[in-house]
Amino acid sequence: MAHDRMTVLAAMMDQGVIPVFYHPDTEVCRNVIQACADGGAKCIEFTNRGDFASQVFLDVARHFAKADPSVIMGVGSVVDAPTAGLYIANGAKFVVGPLLNPDVAKVCNRRKIPYSPGCGTMSEINQAEELGCEIVKIFPGDIVGGPAFVKAVLAPCPWTRLMPTGGVDASEASLRAWFEAGVVCVGIGSNLITKKLLEAKDYKGIETRVRDTIALIRTIRGK
């Protein structure tokens, strides 16, 4: 299944929530990502953390290329171009970072891979858009101003597409505040794939939680 730039961006916005996840165990990653996909979140952000994270990503990406090609594996916590290139070569279909790096944007643009850099000011968001970023990550979402910051940005720049990560949880109050402010999607890590569910290896519980979160977002959007 082809996952070109436009398809990936459309999928990110459609599902509304990007599960953010990392685990050093390949089998756990496979099970969690499959649970997210079965719950309707085909786009998953695997964070570049821990020793040999890129190898774990490669193993998982190879698995889903055959087991479930509908899964769209992205990578997060990318801060430099060599790391972006490594993950793209290993199958990443989108790249997310905690900061804006023009060199990462150049690598991603060359391969037509969506890049969502972490930005915390209007000027950074503007620079990201000039570098070709369609969806800009707001990070850390709660610290830079929360939903009020999103509203302030969109007032003069309504064409901007924002994805907050940090300070977002799966509750109706949190999701309603962010989406009513105008975000196109949100990134959620341990507030979605909770430590309790992981420790219990409750993959069905993860699937249900993801499905319920997506359904809640669609209700808030009025879809």
Side-chain angles (χ1 to χ4, degrees):
M1 181 178 292
H3 295 305
D4 62 28
R5 186 174 190 159
M6 303 308 294
T7 300
V8 173
L9 289 166
M12 291 173 69
M13 291 187 285
D14 179 64
Q15 70 186 48
V17 58
I18 308 300
V20 179
F21 177 72
Y22 169 77
H23 196 281
D25 186 281
T26 301
E27 184 178 358
V28 172
C29 288
R30 290 175 181 173
N31 287 325
V32 169
I33 291 169
Q34 189 65 67
C36 290
D38 291 344
K42 299 292 187 178
C43 296
I44 296 100
E45 178 187 331
F46 176 95
T47 54
N48 175 45
R49 298 176 184 174
D51 294 336
F52 309 111
S54 62
Q55 183 61 52
V56 175
F57 181 94
L58 175 59
D59 291 342
V60 173
R62 278 178 168 168
H63 166 78
F64 282 108
K66 293 182 179 180
D68 187 352
S70 69
V71 170
I72 302 173
M73 291 279 292
V75 61
S77 301
V78 172
V79 300
D80 56 60
T83 302
L86 172 64
Y87 276 93
I88 291 170
N90 285 351
K93 301 305 180 185
F94 64 96
V95 173
V96 182
L99 50 80
L100 171 61
N101 185 328
D103 291 335
V104 174
K106 186 174 182 179
V107 169
C108 291
N109 284 333
R110 176 62 278 168
R111 294 293 301 276
K112 296 294 191 291
I113 297 290
Y115 173 41
S116 293
C119 298
T121 68
M122 192 71 170
S123 294
E124 287 181 340
I125 294 168
N126 176 71
Q127 185 183 5
E129 291 182 325
E130 288 181 347
L131 291 168
C133 301
E134 293 289 344
I135 299 176
V136 178
K137 174 179 173 177
I138 299 300
F139 183 77
D142 52 345
I143 304 300
V144 302
F149 176 73
V150 172
K151 288 182 180 180
V153 170
L154 294 180
C157 302
W159 54 80
T160 295
R161 297 183 178 94
L162 299 175
M163 175 182 70
T165 302
V168 186
D169 62 56
S171 70
E172 180 174 0
S174 177
L175 293 172
R176 186 171 294 279
W178 284 108
F179 279 95
E180 290 184 349
V183 303
V184 297
C185 58
V186 296
I188 310 181
S190 59
N191 285 323
L192 181 65
I193 304 167
T194 66
K195 183 179 180 181
K196 182 178 179 180
L197 289 170
L198 273 178
E199 289 180 344
K201 295 186 177 180
D202 185 0
Y203 302 119
K204 195 65 180 178
I206 293 172
E207 177 185 337
T208 299
R209 187 166 173 80
V210 169
R211 180 179 290 110
D212 290 348
T213 301
I214 292 175
L216 178 56
I217 290 171
R218 287 180 175 159
T219 298
I220 292 170
R221 286 170 160 173
K223 291 185 177 180

